[in-house]
Amino acid sequence: MAEREAPGGAGPGAAPSVPVVVQGPELSREEKLQLRKEKKQQKKKKRNEKGTAAEPPEPGTAADPAQPRVTPHPASPPASANAPNDGEKPPGGKSKAELRAERRAKQEAERAQKQAKKAELGQGAAPAKPRLTPTEAPSVVKRLPEHVQVDDPAAQRKLAKKLERQQVPLRQDYGTKVNLFSHLHQYSRKKPLTQQMSIPSTVIHPAVVRLGLQYSQGIINGSNARCIALLEVFKQLIRDYSTPPNEELSRDLVAKLKPHISFLNQCRPLSVSMGNAIKFLKKEISCLPDTLREEEAKEKLQGTIDNYLREKIVLAAEAISKSAFEKINDNDVILVYGCSSLVNRTLCDAHTQTDRTFRVIVVDSRPRLEGRETLRRLVRHGIHCTYVMINAISYVLPEVSKVLLGAHALLANGSVMSRVGTSQIALVSKAYNVPVLVCCETYKFCERVQTDSFVSNELDDPDDLIVQRKGQAQLGGWAENKSLRLLNLVYDVTPPDLVDLVITDLGMIPCTSVPVVLRVKNVDQQ
Amino acid sequence: MEFQAVVMAAGGGSRMTDLTSSIPKPLLPVGNRPLLWYPLNLLERAGFEGEAVPGLGRRAGGSPCALPPSWHHLRRSFFHLVMFARCAALAEEVIVITRKEIQKMLSLDTKMKLDFVYISDNVDMGTADSLRHIHQKIKTDVLVLSCDLITDVDLYKVVDLFRTHDATLSMLMKKAPEPTEVAPGQKGKKKPVEQRDFIGVDDTGKRLLFMANEADLDEELVIKRSILQKHPRMHIRTGLMDAHLYCLKKYVVDFLVENRTITSLRSELIPHLVRKQFSSPTSLQQGLDNKEEGRKKKEQASLDIYSFIKEDNSLLKPAPDNSCWNDHRGDMNETLHEGKVRCYVHIMKEGLCCRVNTLALYIEANRQVPKLLLNLGLEEPLVHGTAQITDRGMVGSDSIIGSSTQIGEKTSIKHSIIGSACTIKDKVKITNCIIMNSVTIEEGCCLQGSVICNNAVIEKGADIKDCLIGSDQRLETKAKHVNEVIVGTEQLMEI
């Protein structure tokens, strides 16, 4: 709840209609805590009223003033890689001793009641997994992230309201979409978000505006590049941030980051790597101890971001490259697709650090034609390359010894989400019995489960498909033709049985071990 | 804070002295508003607020006009997210550099808070000198505008080029219109051939590769081979007009401060920056045997703009290894050829963009302005409320009439702009004229295609065609003038 007193001392004469805004003179810290507790109580009461259909009404238990702290709700939707939907975590250890004692007493009371209830309802399968017992009844509905609900007007209205509150402009969809994908956004590159913003951008930090523009114009492309750029910009944001009086850094900074994240999301939907980085950052910020001064806290945050960058991206890349080029033998023919920073690095390292001779076949596809960049980098290094389009893979596959692919994300059921065309390559390689190796860092592992490429994907600008040859644009007037729709998909999902090995910084694992890694990560992070 | 805007209004209007001898150029009325109002309106529409940034961060509130009305009361709410607290000192957002004499005469109708910087009248400052003069106020990237720019461009198009590519310079250009009319005072049909500008852009039409004026070239256009190697396809255009709207990075201003030889932005700094894109930093040159020579070279090297570029600001630095975007293909070079200085241009195709530099352009601007004002959706009608017009029907639909003007009967006014407090008697025919304030026109006059300055008096029965009548002039009855410039003798004495 950020409050700002204008230097001119203009009073809060205007009465905003958004309920979140707190008017009036600045409240002291205690009063704010009280307000928050009251709101939580009200919310809890409402939820209890809805959920007590099956359970007997608990005798006069007032709602917990603060939720039990860091119990990871498995119901909590990490299904959405989008961070903006997460609620803020309640503060740790700030309340006074009496309140803490009260809360503990209430928790004990509730726990006792729950045990009693379980004993009543019968002894059957009551798994005593302490870690995973949800505090609420399993009637919690997982919320779908908004970016896959574009054809649902209620969800879009909620999004519009949220953006209005954060003062982030809403980007309009462009062009008619193919019916199967009408639940996804489709934006035009020629209509950037900055069209609706004021020129010296005031609400959004200029570095974030620039980053958003670079995302939407495709200048920063690729999972790793986007995540690195995002973290660098966050470092700058934290440097330029200063805590307003009567606020705590741990809560306020998270609140301040939200509009920027919404803005970046509007420019281009967040990638899984970015989402994981944001989750990590938010957790770090909210777990900052209060005893730190602002300068120290900011330095600590910068340090953690640097550590994350170094460990999860840079060092992981080195580790993956090292284990991957063990797999490259002499006189190998390796097939790569598109442009993956990890795969490029692996091949260049293999070429320089070992004396094995191998050659590479670069497969490329329209409209992005990223393979040209791969080709340039590899040839520059001195690697012998061949360049084909994706429709020629069955021509080259008989001579290929292994296929090396990059990944945008690895899903919880072992599927690989990567650039559109990857699953095709994996499928044809399987038909030719060529091993398929996927290189992916662990920070790109995601708890989402997807079995098809439709549910959660990204639609790029359909005008990219228009080809200009000799002054004539073949599909130039597609918008006027009512029965013509253009589809420019960005990602696709490769099922786990088509992938033979995943090379991560934790080692070489089969696809089915991805959920294990996720579980191990979760345990680590608690 | 992202940008500071600087409006250069200190120029003298040296190419239209007939007009500017009596009225300073920023105050020349175009469509009954001072010329300075137009660039300021452009800034205001884009979202500049002109408020000083206090130490704790500024109050957010810059909402463009397109926001739904419910936002306007949120404007002053304290809930808003203010992040930028690092600009410790006060930094004004809109700075206007003008001459002292304008101070008394200026009354602009704009909501922005402007910071006026006055230069005394006897100092002759080029545009780069002016920037140097205020360099202490400049804390971020600047948007430099000239006061004589009238345009309805979407400013975000120019600024987005600047932001996206982390450019050193981003500017605006438009295809220069063919001049259709002969300005008053010109003898003969042929207009003097102006020195052409040769502008070279790359295939996308956004990157500025080459800029030279015909005056600087002997007989041939010389293009360095390195440019062609990096950009094999270059389109060279000659009909473009520079709108004098530049987005410059802060380090360019620092460079100007050190390098005192540059006096003008348009003719010296911009071509220098365009050339610098393709030349390597002089500090990389090796082989300095002679110590003296070395010292001299060091001085020159420190004036090289590369030494001013700070490394940490470049966002493209960590990413280029990983990002698969490249601005060109077909060679082995990294994206953008790792050039640190980059110049971009936005060439407008449609819309209005004119610079009021000469008399002909002034008249042309007045002709285009009523449409612009209509499109801007300003609340004031073209015909001012307090004007007293007897015959409404005789006033054309795109004529602008100022306040307190009295127009007699049977007076027809077509395609003209009439200032405030004028008195126009009966049976006058005015076509295609620009009449400034407090002018008196007696009965039976016929005016065509003329410019009549402040306080002039035209007696009965005069017949004026394509003339420029200076201020305070008095024309005798039944005067007939065609294609003449009539100004007072004391004005002619000025150099």
Side-chain angles (χ1 to χ4, degrees), chain B residues 117-241:
Chain B
V117 171
Y118 296 105
I119 305 180
S120 52
D121 293 337
N122 38 13
V123 175
D124 190 22
M125 275 206 180
T127 39
D129 293 327
S130 317
L131 264 190
R132 207 173 289 135
H133 183 72
I134 56 167
H135 79 272
Q136 271 145 358
K137 293 189 178 228
I138 296 193
K139 314 247 179 291
T140 65
D141 302 335
V142 273
L143 179 65
V144 178
L145 288 174
S146 169
C147 68
D148 56 10
L149 175 66
I150 301 182
T151 178
D152 63 351
V153 72
D154 291 319
L155 208 52
Y156 78 87
K157 288 188 184 150
V158 181
V159 172
D160 273 355
L161 280 176
F162 185 72
R163 287 166 173 156
T164 317
H165 301 273
D166 205 20
T168 309
L169 158 75
S170 163
M171 54 193 283
L172 174 68
M173 285 195 166
K174 179 155 199 282
K175 198 157 153 35
E178 287 299 321
T180 45
E181 315 259 337
V182 176
Q186 271 173 356
K187 317 292 179 207
K189 271 286 176 179
K190 250 198 168 169
K191 72 176 211 49
V193 171
E194 299 204 2
Q195 299 289 354
R196 290 180 294 176
D197 266 330
F198 293 92
I199 312 278
V201 290
D202 77 339
D203 232 357
T204 61
K206 299 276 174 207
R207 182 90 192 264
L208 187 55
L209 302 175
F210 181 77
M211 180 188 273
N213 191 289
E214 198 174 337
D216 299 328
L217 306 167
D218 286 327
E219 285 173 359
E220 304 157 332
L221 199 66
V222 177
I223 303 181
K224 279 167 73 166
R225 191 197 296 195
S226 57
I227 305 182
L228 282 181
Q229 275 174 343
K230 292 177 185 168
H231 299 268
R233 299 193 110 206
M234 178 158 58
H235 301 259
I236 301 198
R237 303 175 65 161
T238 49
L240 289 179
M241 167 189 73

Side-chain angles (χ1 to χ4, degrees), chain B residues 230-275:
Chain B
K230 292 177 185 168
H231 299 268
R233 299 193 110 206
M234 178 158 58
H235 301 259
I236 301 198
R237 303 175 65 161
T238 49
L240 289 179
M241 167 189 73
D242 181 356
H244 209 287
L245 189 146
Y246 307 121
C247 287
L248 294 168
K249 272 246 188 303
K250 177 157 188 312
Y251 59 74
V252 177
V253 180
D254 297 336
F255 168 70
L256 272 184
V257 167
E258 294 296 317
N259 192 340
R260 307 199 83 88
T261 55
I262 296 187
T263 50
S264 157
L265 283 182
R266 166 82 186 85
S267 44
E268 291 172 39
L269 179 66
I270 308 290
H272 176 83
L273 287 178
V274 174
R275 272 196 306 270

Side-chain angles (χ1 to χ4, degrees), chain A residues 277-289:
Chain A
I278 291 174
K279 250 189 261 181
F280 162 79
L281 186 62
K282 282 192 176 174
K283 187 158 174 299
E284 283 299 312
I285 297 177
S286 39
C287 291
L288 277 179

Side-chain angles (χ1 to χ4, degrees), chain A residues 1-7 10-12 14-18 20-21 163-168 190 192 194-207 209-211 213-214 217-222 224-225 228-229 232-233 237 239-242 253 255-256 259-260 295 298 339 341 370 372-373 376-377 379-380 419, chain B residues 1-4 43 46-49 52 54 56-64 66-68 70-86 93 141 143 154-157 159-166 249 312-316 318-326 328-329 331-335 338:
Chain A
M1 219 81 66
E3 283 191 347
R4 217 74 189 87
E5 203 168 54
S17 52
V18 180
V20 190
V21 175
L163 289 180
E164 208 179 300
R165 200 174 59 226
Q166 291 174 338
Q167 285 191 295
V168 173
K190 298 208 191 68
T194 47
Q195 205 172 357
Q196 305 163 41
M197 292 168 59
S198 63
I199 286 289
S201 71
T202 46
V203 179
I204 308 281
H205 192 283
V209 175
R210 190 191 330 172
L211 186 65
L213 273 176
Q214 286 175 329
Q217 304 293 320
I219 299 206
I220 297 190
N221 236 339
N224 275 337
I228 295 176
E232 295 286 336
V233 165
L237 277 182
R239 255 201 306 268
D240 290 342
Y241 167 78
S242 78
L253 185 53
K256 292 270 164 66
H260 299 275
E295 289 305 318
K298 289 208 276 192
C339 185
S341 50
E370 292 170 338
R372 296 187 294 192
E373 187 58 20
R376 180 186 72 80
R377 288 186 197 163
V379 171
R380 203 170 183 196
R419 185 69 78 219
Chain B
M1 191 170 44
E2 201 182 355
F3 279 115
Q4 278 175 284
L43 292 175
F48 276 87
E49 275 204 335
L56 279 182
R58 79 192 292 264
R59 194 161 57 90
S63 55
L67 286 176
S70 61
W71 281 50
H72 288 286
H73 62 246
L74 279 181
R75 238 179 128 155
R76 287 168 147 258
S77 157
F78 302 141
F79 172 63
H80 289 331
L81 311 154
V82 180
M83 287 250 357
F84 325 128
R86 268 307 168 96
E93 213 173 36
D141 302 335
L143 179 65
D154 291 319
L155 208 52
Y156 78 87
K157 288 188 184 150
V159 172
D160 273 355
L161 280 176
F162 185 72
R163 287 166 173 156
T164 317
H165 301 273
D166 205 20
K249 272 246 188 303
D312 54 10
N313 278 338
S314 165
L315 250 194
L316 285 182
D321 275 347
N322 298 312
S323 168
C324 34
W325 178 80
N326 200 328
H328 64 277
R329 62 184 180 95
D331 63 0
M332 283 293 154
N333 290 328
E334 296 293 332
T335 179
E338 292 181 327

